[in-house]
């Protein structure tokens, strides 16, 4: 945990814009892979240890929020909906889902 907060502190001091982008991308992909709840808790704890500038905090929150939308399986709610639809005999592919989500 302190490793993450140390990285955020150093990055916000040396290259705040790059750190914001990197934080958003890492939390976005992380929340897509591991679900946004554990990634959000981990990110929130790292932010609370050493409060980075609002630019970086906002980027982390955006990454956690948008990350599950990167793929069909990134969100538990989407997976549950797909299971319910398939149980009713409907088949929705990932491509169809992405076309509907736009």
């Amino acid at each position: 945990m302190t490793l993450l907060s140390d990285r955020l502190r150093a990055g916000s001091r040396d290259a705040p814009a790059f750190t914001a982008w990197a934080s958003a991308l890492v939390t976005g992909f992380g929340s897509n892979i591991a679900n946004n709840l554990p990634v959000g808790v981990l990110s929130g704890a790292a932010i609370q240890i050493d409060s980075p500038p609002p630019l970086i905090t906002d980027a982390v929150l955006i990454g956690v929020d948008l990350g599950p939308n990167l793929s069909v399986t990134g969100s538990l709610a989407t997976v549950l909906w797909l299971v319910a639809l398939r149980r009713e005999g409907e088949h929705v592919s990932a491509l169809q889902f992405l076309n509907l989500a736009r």
Side-chain angles (χ1 to χ4, degrees):
M1 191 67 57
T2 57
L3 176 69
L4 292 175
S5 64
D6 290 342
R7 295 286 182 194
L8 285 175
R9 185 181 327 110
S12 65
R13 185 179 55 245
D14 298 337
F18 176 77
T19 303
W21 275 101
S23 299
L25 290 173
V26 167
T27 55
F29 285 113
S31 64
N32 184 272
I33 293 169
N35 199 341
N36 60 348
L37 183 60
V39 173
V41 169
L42 182 67
S43 300
I47 287 173
Q48 281 185 336
I49 289 173
D50 183 59
S51 298
L55 173 69
I56 295 172
T57 302
D58 294 346
V60 168
L61 293 174
I62 289 170
V64 169
D65 187 44
L66 294 179
N69 297 321
L70 296 175
S71 71
V72 176
T73 59
S75 170
L76 179 60
T78 303
V79 172
L80 293 175
W81 268 107
L82 289 175
V83 168
L85 287 172
R86 289 182 181 148
R87 187 176 10 176
E88 296 295 321
E90 296 291 327
H91 178 72
V92 179
S93 69
L95 185 60
Q96 290 172 323
F97 173 79
L98 291 175
N99 283 332
L100 292 174
R102 281 194 274 165

